[in-house]
Amino acid sequence: MSLIAFLILGALAGWLAGVLTRGGGFGLVGDMVVGIVGAFVGGFLFSLAGLDAIGFIGALVSATVGAVVLLWVVGMINRA
């Protein structure tokens, strides 16, 4: 995947995760960071479950799931 497509995917996934978990995004750079890290988390979780993310939509779903899990974990750590 090209770098620009990867950054766009990360921004979209981070924004979606922000909307799903707390009702808003984190700004462009924050959304990209959350989405990119979420893409790695989602890829790892999908591989553990034996699932494949195919195409842009599959990668977006995987990254969004990973970003939501990442935000949930960070939220749990901040509460402790």
Side-chain angles (χ1 to χ4, degrees), residues 29-69:
V29 174
D31 286 347
M32 284 177 147
V33 170
V34 168
I36 290 168
V37 174
F40 288 110
V41 173
F44 176 72
L45 293 175
F46 272 43
S47 69
L48 285 178
L51 301 172
D52 286 329
I54 299 171
F56 186 80
I57 299 297
L60 181 61
V61 169
S62 172
T64 302
V65 168
V68 167
V69 169

Side-chain angles (χ1 to χ4, degrees), residues 20 36 63 73:
L20 291 172
I36 290 168
V73 168

